[in-house]
Amino acid sequence: VLIVLPVVLLCFGVPIFVALIAAASIGIVAMGIGTMDPVHVALFGGLDNFPLLAVPLFIFAGEVMGRGGIARRLVEWALSIIGGVRGSLALATVASSELFGSMSGSSVGCVAAIGRLMVPELTRRGYTSVFSGSTTRAQ
């Protein structure tokens, strides 16, 4: 049951996760356990994870810091340190991402705050959108 049923379901075009869940459920019933509690615990037990809750809160913190002006001040400070070097805006993006990421402790919050500020500025100054996004995420 555990080998033949997934192969048959996959041949009919059923998604992989549905085929595996169906095979495991039928296998549990066929073995005589009689209860489906292990399946429910395996499916919904993974949702009880605190880092999953922290990601939206870090994004919110990044937005608050970006709207409050912390991100713009970090970028201006990084630009004043780097100076008139060729590509200084890209270097300032990386430097301010490093600083903001170390302050907030989250790369997701950093991308939300610095990216919202720097990606439009980089594209306005002639950088491609791929380069702008990659530079912002490269912390």
Side-chain angles (χ1 to χ4, degrees):
V1 171
L2 294 176
I3 295 173
V4 175
L5 184 62
V7 172
V8 170
L9 289 175
L10 289 174
C11 288
F12 284 122
V14 176
I16 294 172
F17 76 95
V18 174
L20 293 175
I21 290 173
S25 301
I26 292 174
I28 288 172
V29 171
M31 289 180 2
I33 295 174
T35 179
M36 295 295 288
D37 288 339
V39 176
H40 298 303
V41 170
L43 285 175
F44 297 109
L47 295 176
D48 187 23
N49 194 355
F50 289 111
L52 288 177
L53 179 65
V55 169
L57 294 177
F58 274 125
I59 292 174
F60 176 69
E63 281 294 318
V64 167
M65 290 179 196
R67 290 179 191 253
I70 295 172
R72 179 163 304 279
R73 281 185 250 145
L74 277 174
V75 170
E76 289 172 2
W77 183 68
L79 274 173
S80 69
I81 289 174
I82 294 170
V85 179
R86 182 180 171 104
S88 62
L89 189 61
L91 292 173
T93 302
V94 173
S96 59
S97 294
E98 288 292 331
L99 291 170
F100 194 83
S102 65
M103 283 182 358
S104 69
S106 169
S107 61
V108 176
C110 171
V111 169
I114 300 293
R116 184 177 59 85
L117 177 71
M118 292 305 292
V119 170
E121 185 67 23
L122 285 166
T123 54
R124 188 178 69 80
R125 295 215 184 164
Y127 293 99
T128 63
S129 61
V130 174
F131 180 80
S132 303
S134 300
T135 304
T136 305
R137 288 186 297 259
Q139 63 129 352

